[in-house]
Amino acid sequence: MPVVGSITYNFLQDIDKVTKTNNKEQPFVIQKDYFKEINNEKVIVSTSQELKIGDEVWIRLKFSTKENASYVHIKDDRAGTFEPFFELSGIKYENDLRYFYKGNDASTNFFIDYLPIGEYNLWYKVKVNNVGVFIDGLTTMQSMYAPQYKAHSGANSLIINN
């Protein structure tokens, strides 16, 4: 009688030690950047720059694909200090891209039916509401029906003062 079984290997890593996906064979690349609006212009916020309670921050998810893809899910896990400006879930059009937007308490999700080859930006706004040092979550991008196609951003450290 044959023996049937499987082996699974799981490990945990501190989130601040996780680096951006750097696999040239993967079609997806994604990164997360923070911006503050100063004099009606979006200015990038370096992760070492201090933010204050009440600051309004724009999060830009910059991503690209080297292949046409269908049914792509982008999940952005936010730092605990960020409270989203809740928008209703629904279909949106931005930068020649059609997607379904869904905001949750700890993450923001984008579901893209069809993603043609190219580079894209998705933006959404959050508000700083807690003091401390925070490490934001990863932003993951994955094909829902071909899960081997995936990428994630690195983690960033944020310092929030009064």
Side-chain angles (χ1 to χ4, degrees):
M1 181 171 195
V3 177
V4 179
S6 69
I7 296 175
T8 304
Y9 178 71
N10 292 319
F11 67 95
L12 299 175
Q13 177 67 280
D14 291 336
I15 193 135
D16 59 339
K17 293 185 177 122
V18 176
T19 58
K20 179 179 174 179
T21 302
N22 193 13
N23 184 342
K24 305 254 186 254
E25 296 174 15
Q26 287 290 334
F28 298 152
V29 176
I30 190 161
Q31 76 179 44
K32 180 185 342 186
D33 297 306
Y34 299 102
F35 292 80
K36 282 177 68 173
E37 207 166 316
I38 299 172
N39 298 328
N40 294 325
E41 278 189 42
K42 289 183 180 133
V43 178
I44 196 158
V45 174
S46 84
T47 54
S48 63
Q49 181 178 349
E50 295 181 357
L51 295 170
K52 295 179 175 51
I53 289 182
D55 282 349
E56 296 177 0
V57 178
W58 284 92
I59 296 177
R60 178 185 69 183
L61 305 179
K62 183 178 182 177
F63 59 97
S64 64
T65 179
K66 294 186 265 183
E67 298 178 14
N68 293 330
S70 297
Y71 303 107
V72 175
H73 176 212
I74 297 175
K75 180 180 181 184
D76 183 29
D77 293 325
R78 293 186 305 273
T81 187
F82 288 143
E83 192 64 34
F85 281 80
F86 277 109
E87 298 178 29
L88 295 176
S89 296
I91 294 173
K92 295 189 173 194
Y93 299 91
E94 186 177 352
N95 300 325
D96 298 326
L97 193 61
R98 179 182 181 266
Y99 60 91
F100 184 82
Y101 167 89
K102 183 174 188 310
N104 289 336
D105 211 20
S107 66
T108 301
N109 295 275
F110 302 89
F111 299 93
I112 304 167
D113 289 341
Y114 177 69
L115 182 62
I117 295 170
E119 294 184 3
Y120 302 92
N121 293 312
L122 292 174
W123 294 83
Y124 70 97
K125 194 173 179 182
V126 294
K127 189 170 192 172
V128 177
N129 70 350
N130 290 312
V131 173
V133 177
F134 297 88
I135 298 172
D136 69 355
L138 301 178
T139 302
T140 57
M141 178 180 185
Q142 185 170 25
S143 173
M144 296 170 71
Y145 293 111
Q148 67 273 22
Y149 296 129
K150 60 185 173 185
H152 60 78
S153 68
N156 295 309
S157 179
L158 302 164
I159 300 167
I160 311 299
N161 285 327
N162 276 331

